Amino acid sequence: MSFFSKLVKPYRKGEKNFDRARAAEFRRDFDKARTYYQEAAVGFDEHLADKRAKGEEIRPSHLAMAGLCYTRLGRYEDALATLEECLGRKEIPDAFLYAGFAAARLDRLDKAVGYWKAYPTWADQRILANVLKEQIAALGADSPNIDAVCDAIISGVYEQDQYNRKDRNFRRGEERGAEFRQWY
């Protein structure tokens, strides 16, 4: 660790590694993505703890990114709590998506369905919205297969990400990394 790395704020480490992880996922380099998500989670853990200790408000975008990292790492309790806090401040589409995913993994199916039903239509993520509708119906079955539902959601996320990456109208001003952070 260099002298300058100590000067970088934890949330900046979290943001940078979050963007790296999303880019690695797009390339389907999942081992690298997991490493970056772990590094991002460490940065966000430190940032959230510092902000809470000082009694300062945490930006919803940081809560959403932290929640997504926690979800990807299997820290579903942390993810759900963080994303619920985020949604209490701002409606970020990814927060609905991943809060539902974390709730499903925790076998809180009513909560998962509630978050997925609340996924905003203004997000204009048609592929993902259709997948969510299908999976909400699947959760309504007598004995739903939660693993299959979660796998379908993950596939829908990757399909939507690839579509967004190709769709030049989706990008805002050709800003690098914007395709990985949607609305936050």
Side-chain angles (χ1 to χ4, degrees):
M1 183 168 2
S2 72
F3 169 76
F4 292 109
S5 66
K6 294 178 185 175
L7 300 175
V8 178
K9 296 187 186 244
Y11 77 89
R12 295 296 296 153
K13 290 177 187 176
E15 288 175 341
K16 185 66 173 175
N17 285 304
F18 176 86
D19 287 340
R20 288 175 175 160
R22 296 286 284 143
E25 278 183 342
F26 184 77
R27 293 187 312 269
R28 300 224 180 254
D29 187 353
F30 299 112
D31 292 332
K32 190 67 129 177
R34 183 167 180 75
T35 301
Y36 286 134
Y37 278 128
Q38 287 172 332
E39 291 175 23
V42 168
F44 284 124
D45 284 341
E46 187 179 337
H47 175 63
L48 299 180
D50 184 47
K51 287 287 198 180
R52 289 183 176 128
K54 292 178 181 176
E56 297 175 0
E57 191 170 315
I58 302 165
R59 290 177 51 190
S61 61
H62 292 156
L63 291 168
M65 286 186 269
L68 194 151
C69 291
Y70 300 154
T71 303
R72 289 292 205 272
L73 296 172
R75 293 173 50 185
Y76 300 121
E77 288 287 349
D78 292 336
L80 191 55
T82 303
L83 293 167
E84 285 176 342
E85 184 179 349
C86 171
L87 289 170
R89 295 188 192 162
K90 185 175 181 181
E91 289 189 357
I92 297 175
D94 282 354
F96 287 104
L97 174 67
Y98 290 101
F101 188 89
R105 285 294 186 192
L106 293 169
D107 207 26
R108 299 178 191 162
L109 302 184
D110 290 339
K111 210 172 217 185
V113 168
Y115 284 121
W116 289 339
K117 280 185 177 178
Y119 187 81
T121 56
W122 55 259
D124 197 29
Q125 301 292 293
R126 283 179 235 128
I127 296 168
L128 193 51
N130 289 335
V131 170
L132 288 174
K133 284 179 191 172
E134 291 170 8
Q135 300 318 308
I136 289 168
L139 286 177
D142 287 337
S143 54
N145 183 344
I146 296 172
D147 289 334
V149 167
C150 290
D151 288 346
I153 296 292
I154 291 168
S155 294
V157 167
Y158 293 131
E159 189 178 342
Q160 185 69 60
D161 281 349
Q162 291 196 353
Y163 176 80
N164 290 348
R165 185 83 185 247
K166 291 175 188 173
D167 183 14
R168 295 289 175 198
N169 293 328
F170 179 75
R171 295 175 132 192
R172 296 185 196 144
E174 295 300 313
E175 182 181 331
R176 185 159 172 69
E179 66 267 23
F180 301 122
R181 283 197 253 164
Q182 300 170 7
W183 303 284
Y184 54 94

